Amino acid sequence: FFNPFRLISPKLDREASRLEELYEAPHPEMTCLEEGLLVMLSKLMDMTTLAYKSLIIADPEKMKKVDALGQDIHHEEKQLTGDLVCSPATTGDVLKALVIFPGHLERVGDYVESIINCARIKSRDSIPFSDKAHAELTELFGVLSDILKNIREVVAKSTWDTLAPVRENQKKLAQLTVDFALAHEDRLLEGLCSPKASSLYLDILDSVKGANEHLVRMVDSLMKLHKASVAA
């Protein structure tokens, strides 16, 4: 199966030190799409973990780290998208499927930045979440983190057989956002949740839902590319 992630340049130094160097660099130069996506996904995984921790216990340093990683994501999206558009290797269906991948990941980062803004408001205004809400957040962010990790594994190892399980996890996360919104509505009606907490919690659910939708589009595109390559 043709590895679509080698676009821009077919060369990639897979050594951990190379990827770590790119992760730490403020404006890294990516040699191929694979490298860029791996770095972006790693940063999104860290942003997601830090955002979850900041919702549970406010930590200004963690929030600043999320801001910095988010800025990196914005820069890397512009670089990778520009390189893809200018690459002679990107044509036809492959270009159509992959040129928006960096943009999808940037949008995931936008949603995580929205979550960290909720964490700031929650801390600033001393808005409590119920134990049930915290338990729901733990489950939500656990599934989201697994999805990001699994997509990163697909990119790193071209393990196409894992795409279907990732898609099932995405369906699970989509259903959780619906179920938790309904459960939250019940808590609000029963007086177990304050209106201030309600708006923040629903904002977080919407952000997780939005992030998941962009990751779904990526996985669906990969599954179509894989199916086409097998049929060829």
Side-chain angles (χ1 to χ4, degrees), residues 35-229:
E35 227 174 34
L37 293 179
L38 287 174
V39 172
M40 290 182 77
L41 283 161
S42 295
K43 291 182 178 181
L44 287 171
M45 289 167 63
D46 286 347
M47 288 176 70
T48 300
T49 299
L50 291 169
Y52 165 70
K53 290 181 178 179
S54 296
L55 285 170
I56 304 304
I57 300 177
D59 185 335
E61 291 305 313
K62 287 184 174 65
M63 296 178 185
K64 289 181 182 178
K65 180 64 175 177
V66 172
D67 292 339
L69 290 171
Q71 289 304 307
D72 288 348
I73 293 291
H74 292 305
H75 173 83
E76 287 151 16
E77 182 278 328
K78 291 177 177 60
Q79 179 191 328
L80 281 176
T81 301
D83 288 346
L84 277 171
V85 171
C86 295
S87 172
T90 49
T91 57
D93 291 339
V94 174
L95 173 61
K96 186 177 181 181
L98 300 183
V99 72
I100 198 62
F101 270 33
H104 281 314
L105 293 182
E106 181 183 37
R107 291 295 292 125
V108 174
D110 289 341
Y111 283 117
V112 179
E113 288 178 315
S114 178
I115 292 170
I116 208 66
N117 185 54
C118 289
R120 285 194 172 96
I121 296 172
K122 181 176 181 291
S123 173
R124 182 196 67 199
D125 297 344
S126 301
I127 299 174
F129 279 5
S130 68
D131 290 343
K132 182 60 176 176
H134 279 139
E136 291 170 352
L137 289 176
T138 298
E139 186 170 3
L140 278 178
F141 280 88
V143 177
L144 178 58
S145 294
D146 284 345
I147 291 169
L148 288 167
K149 178 181 177 181
N150 292 336
I151 292 176
R152 190 185 188 282
E153 183 176 334
V154 170
V155 176
K157 300 180 181 179
S158 298
T159 49
W160 309 107
D161 57 328
T162 64
L163 283 172
V166 173
R167 191 66 188 86
E168 288 304 310
N169 231 11
Q170 291 174 327
K171 291 178 182 178
K172 175 183 177 180
L173 185 58
Q175 188 60 52
L176 285 176
T177 60
V178 173
D179 293 343
F180 290 166
L182 292 173
H184 163 76
E185 183 178 326
D186 289 339
R187 291 196 297 272
L188 186 62
L189 291 173
E190 294 169 5
L192 301 176
C193 177
S194 71
K196 287 185 177 180
S198 175
S199 61
L200 281 182
Y201 187 74
L202 291 176
D203 195 342
I204 294 166
L205 289 183
D206 285 345
S207 293
V208 172
K209 178 183 177 181
N212 188 42
E213 288 173 349
H214 282 278
L215 296 173
V216 165
R217 292 175 197 170
M218 291 178 66
V219 170
D220 284 350
S221 293
L222 288 176
M223 293 178 79
K224 289 178 182 178
L225 279 179
H226 180 47
K227 183 178 180 179
S229 70

